[in-house]
Amino acid sequence: MEPEPQTDLAVHGREISAVARSAPERRAIASSHGDLTFAELDRLAERLAGCLQNAGLTAGDVLALLCTNRPEWIVAQQAALRSGLALVPVNWHPKGDDISYVIADSGAKALIAEDVFVDELNDEVRGIATRIVVGDEVEGFTSFGAAVSETLPTDPQRRRGTLMVYTSGSTGRPKGVRQASDPASSGAAIGAAMVAMFGLDGDRGDQMLCPAPLYHSGPSRICSEWPLGAGVTVHLMHRFDPEVALNLIDTQRLSHAFFVPTMFHRMLDVSDRDRFDLSSLRFVLHGAGPCNATIKQQMFDWLGPIIHEMYAATEGPGTWIQPQEWLDHPGSVGRTDPTRLQIRLDTGEVAEPLQDGTVWSRATTPFHYHDDPEKTAATFDASGEWCTVGDRGYIDEDGYLYLTGRTAECVVSGGVNLYPARVDEALINHPDVRDGAAFALGDTELGEVMAAAVIPAAGASSDGLIESIIAHCRETIGSQLTPRQVFIVDNLPRTEAGKLYRHRLVEQFSA
């Protein structure tokens, strides 16, 4: 059989197949769970793709992936890319009910789950026909080893696989952002453009550090899909530790890294950080949340002018700012293209320079929120071409965008999206709380943290109430959503209909 042309390899998400042919023994993945060469990664991805197709999955079907940063995660990603599947990377931090909700809501026809999370899944999720477990064997699941043990033929697909990432929802539950069903050529083109922008070249020996969870859309592409497609070795961190990250850069001579702002803060706090030789780093990218300008300047002072920033949402395009641009326009997230991004006033008019308003982007790739036509419609304007996720900001006279806040209720803490409505529910369910609401507070290290204001129930004692609320939240919704600060108040800013003005809490307690 003649090998597929390179163009078909790229379009269908098989870029690593070309690398496996030219450099089969080059290391593709390095991790504490083991390493894989490009030949091994390509072979395992092809076998898993065959297993999923043999189980009845076809292009457009959903594969849910609940797994920490380990080689199997990337094997599943590569299998989905070449099978035309929609991969749903599941955030494993929340409690089991929230995890099961995402998997069930996505309509997944197959689930790949790490053994440590299986006990948290509800019966509905456990009823998914195709279930594969990573790690130790679990009854009712096919082991990952068995799933990739047999070579099964894969049918050629006309579509490249996509991600369906779950992001903030107005009801407090996250919503899946589903891209257009046939993004084959655009997906390959975007990947090629980003590889060129990052200067990624595996033949030169480039290596990428992935310190953030792969379930985020940023790391899954920036630290996995795109560098691997360029033949670049990816170093996976199971959990971020600043000294481990710095040691990896030093000893492995890593050339590229992606960080969220809170990681900057933690690395700067390493007292003897100058003992690490970071001279191999040529390119550092950060995103996923606002970065304090002072912290970023300290990173420039330490690493030099190699720090780039990306501002974007899962739903649409954003901006990019290179090192010298930021140094000339500190605090900006990049120069705007008025045909792709604009600020609009509350009246709907396009804002003048320096006028604060809502950030709107032209949706270059059509998308919709999975099973939520109302949220989809509310995100777009009347033209159906421009969308907003609720960020606010202004554009200066030189065309540079500065973010000033978020009208969306999502709290971005350390690059992780958290949903206040879930915390509201937990607060109100506390027996000594009459009413409560969560909101974002600015934080130097994390960008934002979850906070809460509560009205005690009649007759409830305030002694120990805050500690009790924090313990209750940690038990019911998990530590990630638990408020870092709790304030006792006499009333909450609600309308007579009960609608909460969350931004007033932000203003009150930020002051």
Side-chain angles (χ1 to χ4, degrees):
M1 180 181 295
E2 291 293 323
E4 290 181 277
Q6 177 64 36
T7 53
D8 288 342
L9 290 173
V11 165
H12 293 123
R14 290 183 171 89
E15 291 91 342
I16 63 165
S17 295
V19 183
R21 293 173 185 175
S22 63
E25 298 307 311
R26 181 185 299 166
R27 188 168 53 168
I29 303 169
S31 79
S32 60
H33 290 283
D35 299 352
L36 290 177
T37 66
F38 273 93
E40 291 168 335
L41 175 58
D42 185 53
R43 181 171 63 253
L44 292 174
E46 188 68 14
R47 288 183 175 185
L48 181 58
C51 174
L52 294 171
Q53 290 186 16
N54 193 53
L57 274 75
T58 60
D61 286 341
V62 174
L63 166 64
L65 177 58
L66 176 62
C67 184
T68 57
N69 285 13
R70 49 190 297 164
E72 293 90 343
W73 198 104
I74 294 181
V75 171
Q77 177 195 42
Q78 292 291 331
L81 276 174
R82 65 182 58 189
S83 301
L85 302 178
L87 181 70
V88 175
V90 183
N91 180 347
W92 38 263
H93 277 101
K95 288 290 185 180
D97 179 59
D98 290 326
I99 292 173
S100 294
Y101 160 78
V102 168
I103 297 170
D105 183 77
S106 73
K109 292 190 175 181
L111 167 66
I112 298 176
E114 194 169 349
D115 54 359
V116 294
F117 304 121
V118 170
D119 287 344
E120 298 186 43
L121 303 177
N122 64 24
D123 291 340
E124 180 181 4
V125 171
R126 285 173 171 267
I128 292 174
T130 302
R131 302 179 301 278
I132 298 171
V133 66
V134 173
D136 292 337
E137 293 189 5
V138 174
E139 185 177 356
F141 283 71
T142 300
S143 72
F144 191 89
V148 297
S149 63
E150 184 179 357
T151 301
L152 296 169
T154 57
D155 295 328
Q157 301 292 336
R158 295 182 180 179
R159 286 186 283 176
R160 181 188 184 95
T162 64
L163 285 178
M164 181 163 74
V165 177
Y166 271 69
T167 187
S168 58
S170 59
T171 63
R173 292 286 199 179
K175 293 296 180 182
V177 179
R178 187 137 195 187
Q179 305 290 349
S181 60
D182 191 13
S185 58
S186 62
I190 291 171
M194 299 310 292
V195 164
M197 186 176 293
F198 295 179
L200 290 164
D201 186 349
D203 293 338
R204 183 172 50 191
D206 288 352
Q207 300 184 76
M208 168 69 79
L209 177 66
C210 177
L214 285 167
Y215 60 68
H216 287 301
S217 59
S220 69
R221 291 189 171 102
I222 294 166
C223 299
S224 173
E225 180 184 342
W226 296 336
L228 287 170
V232 170
T233 302
V234 172
H235 291 256
L236 295 179
M237 293 186 67
H238 185 66
R239 294 281 180 92
F240 177 73
D241 178 282
E243 293 197 46
V244 172
L246 295 174
N247 185 63
L248 278 170
I249 296 169
D250 180 355
T251 59
Q252 300 298 312
R253 311 310 296 154
L254 305 189
S255 58
H256 291 68
F258 170 82
F259 298 108
V260 298
T262 184
M263 295 175 183
F264 284 170
H265 194 282
R266 293 182 62 188
M267 288 189 293
L268 288 167
D269 281 344
V270 175
S271 59
D272 57 348
R273 53 187 167 86
D274 288 335
R275 68 184 171 91
F276 297 102
D277 179 3
L278 309 182
S279 60
S280 61
L281 272 181
R282 300 198 322 270
F283 187 101
V284 170
L285 177 65
H286 79 89
C291 184
N292 180 278
T294 301
I295 295 296
K296 187 167 178 177
Q297 182 62 60
Q298 291 175 7
M299 289 298 296
F300 272 115
D301 294 340
W302 179 21
L303 299 181
I306 64 170
I307 303 172
H308 301 247
E309 181 175 358
M310 176 186 287
Y311 160 67
T314 301
E315 291 87 339
T319 57
W320 178 282
I321 190 162
Q322 298 186 55
Q324 192 56 52
E325 284 185 293
W326 190 90
L327 291 168
D328 293 338
H329 300 83
S332 172
V333 294
R335 191 166 187 170
T336 60
D337 176 350
T339 66
R340 299 183 63 195
L341 189 146
Q342 57 186 217
I343 302 296
R344 297 183 186 177
L345 305 177
D346 293 341
T347 60
E349 298 174 298
V350 177
E352 296 293 329
L354 303 181
Q355 280 189 300
D356 188 270
T358 302
V359 181
W360 286 79
S361 300
R362 186 183 292 274
T364 52
T365 301
F367 74 89
H368 65 275
Y369 291 103
H370 180 65
D371 283 345
D372 197 336
E374 292 184 1
K375 180 173 177 62
T376 302
T379 300
F380 286 86
D381 67 3
S383 73
E385 297 180 356
W386 291 79
C387 63
T388 182
V389 295
D391 290 341
R392 294 187 70 85
Y394 66 89
I395 298 173
D396 69 13
E397 295 92 337
D398 296 324
Y400 283 86
L401 173 64
Y402 296 77
L403 300 176
T404 59
R406 303 175 64 87
T407 54
E409 291 188 342
C410 179
V411 178
V412 182
S413 183
V416 178
N417 290 351
L418 306 177
Y419 312 109
R422 294 285 294 146
V423 186
D424 295 350
E425 181 181 2
L427 296 171
I428 295 173
N429 286 333
H430 188 285
D432 292 327
V433 172
R434 178 165 66 87
D435 196 5
F439 56 95
L441 275 185
D443 181 81
T444 302
E445 180 182 357
L446 298 173
E448 294 177 341
V449 294
M450 189 74 75
V454 300
I455 302 173
S461 171
S462 60
D463 292 338
L465 179 58
I466 291 176
E467 292 79 5
S468 175
I469 290 170
I470 291 174
H472 167 76
C473 289
R474 188 175 291 115
E475 175 66 23
T476 57
I477 56 177
S479 59
Q480 194 178 47
L481 284 171
T482 296
R484 297 291 186 96
Q485 296 186 64
V486 177
F487 304 94
I488 295 177
V489 298
D490 294 326
N491 56 72
L492 292 174
R494 294 187 183 276
T495 67
E496 291 184 359
K499 179 181 177 180
L500 176 70
Y501 290 122
R502 207 179 298 271
H503 68 279
R504 294 184 183 175
L505 290 172
V506 175
E507 294 168 357
Q508 176 183 349
F509 291 102
S510 293

